[in-house]
């Protein structure tokens, strides 16, 4: 018997052609047929650091058929109940990044802020954070609970940080480091300039006395 780490549901996704390949988030993969090849793949297009700090992460698991004329199934787990979203061609759907479990690999998608009008601060104030934008055709599997919203006993975690806040913290740390570096370089150059002036003055005074002699 197989069971996921978090209590929740299981879904069996069937692959009948290479076009049915599916991306699976970390922790979502449970099992698959021997006709299925599971690989780890880096996301090809990163929107700054948003995908790194979003629920989708930088690396994903990809389930694809080993041979085009074969069929197979992969078992995917969710935290809480499963919800399947089937998108038609051109249909768009916005999903909170923490609830995304798996989606069709050939389906276009990107990660962005929940509040476009307010920017980063608008997303922080709304509490939504980063979202995944999917465009059909394809299927998206979502879960009813976020993995970081609480542990298996239902107690909330104390270190649940907003990913947008993490991005702001990273930029603030980079800015502070840059300022400290520039200030230190300025004082180093000033000290070298003062030492050079004192050395020149000493040499001029020394050689001037020798010339008088």
């Amino acid at each position: 018997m197989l069971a996921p780490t978090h209590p929740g549901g299981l879904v069996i996704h069937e692959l009948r052609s290479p076009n049915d390949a599916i991306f699976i988030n970390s922790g979502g993969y449970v099992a698959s047929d021997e006709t299925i090849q599971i690989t780890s793949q880096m996301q090809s297009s990163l929107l700054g650091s948003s995908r790194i700090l979003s629920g989708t992460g930088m690396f994903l698991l990809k389930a694809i058929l080993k041979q085009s004329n074969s069929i197979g199934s992969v078992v995917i787990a969710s935290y809480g109940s499963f919800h399947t979203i089937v998108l038609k061609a051109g249909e768009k759907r916005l999903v909170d990044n923490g609830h995304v479990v798996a989606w069709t690999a050939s389906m276009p998608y990107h990660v962005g802020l929940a509040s476009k009008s307010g920017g980063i601060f608008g997303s922080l104030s709304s509490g939504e954070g980063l979202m995944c934008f999917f465009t059909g055709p394809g299927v998206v599997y979502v879960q009813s609970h976020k993995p970081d919203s609480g542990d298996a006993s239902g107690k909330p975690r104390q270190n649940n940080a907003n990913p947008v806040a993490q991005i702001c913290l990273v930029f603030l740390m980079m800015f502070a480091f840059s300022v400290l570096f520039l200030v230190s370089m300025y004082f180093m150059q000033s000290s070298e300039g003062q030492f050079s002036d004192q050395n020149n003055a000493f040499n001029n005074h020394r050689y001037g006395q020798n010339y008088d002699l």
Side-chain angles (χ1 to χ4, degrees):
M1 298 293 292
L2 296 175
T5 303
H6 298 289
L10 296 172
V11 66
I12 300 177
H13 180 80
E14 191 174 86
L15 284 74
R16 293 184 174 272
S17 70
N19 294 331
D20 295 331
I22 189 170
F23 282 131
I24 307 173
N25 266 336
S26 175
Y29 173 78
V30 178
S32 60
D33 291 332
E34 60 180 6
T35 56
I36 303 293
Q37 180 181 5
I38 304 296
T39 60
S40 178
Q41 180 173 325
M42 178 184 290
Q43 299 195 58
S44 58
S45 177
L46 295 177
L47 178 61
S49 58
S50 62
R51 289 190 181 179
I52 300 176
L53 298 178
S54 70
T56 60
M58 180 184 291
F59 293 93
L60 300 169
L61 293 181
K62 184 178 182 179
I64 189 172
L65 290 172
K66 294 181 180 179
Q67 298 180 356
S68 59
N69 59 349
S70 61
I71 61 174
S73 299
V74 57
V75 182
I76 308 171
S78 68
Y79 186 24
S81 59
F82 248 117
H83 298 278
T84 304
I85 303 174
V86 180
L87 300 178
K88 299 178 181 179
E91 185 179 359
K92 298 182 179 181
R93 185 62 60 92
L94 173 64
V95 183
D96 188 292
N97 68 87
H99 292 274
V100 177
V101 180
W103 63 95
T104 303
S106 60
M107 184 166 52
Y109 79 100
H110 69 276
V111 180
L113 297 174
S115 177
K116 295 183 178 180
S117 59
I120 294 179
F121 296 101
S123 296
L124 282 172
S125 60
S126 64
E128 293 297 332
L130 299 172
M131 309 292 285
C132 295
F133 298 78
F134 296 96
T135 303
V139 59
V140 182
Y141 294 108
V142 299
Q143 56 192 1
S144 59
H145 293 71
K146 284 187 178 182
D148 60 348
S149 60
D151 55 20
S153 62
K155 296 180 181 180
R157 297 178 181 176
Q158 300 299 325
N159 59 347
N160 183 22
N162 192 317
V164 181
Q166 294 178 358
I167 297 177
C168 295
L169 180 61
V170 170
F171 279 109
L172 287 175
M173 293 178 63
M174 293 176 61
F175 176 77
F177 177 79
S178 301
V179 171
L180 290 175
F181 177 77
L182 293 176
V183 171
S184 61
M185 290 296 295
Y186 173 78
F187 280 109
M188 288 179 61
Q189 292 179 356
S190 299
S191 300
E192 291 178 356
Q194 293 178 359
F195 178 78
S196 178
D197 293 340
Q198 293 176 357
N199 191 29
N200 292 334
F202 175 77
N203 290 334
N204 292 334
H205 179 72
R206 178 183 177 184
Y207 293 137
Q209 289 180 345
N210 292 336
Y211 181 80
D212 295 338
L213 292 175

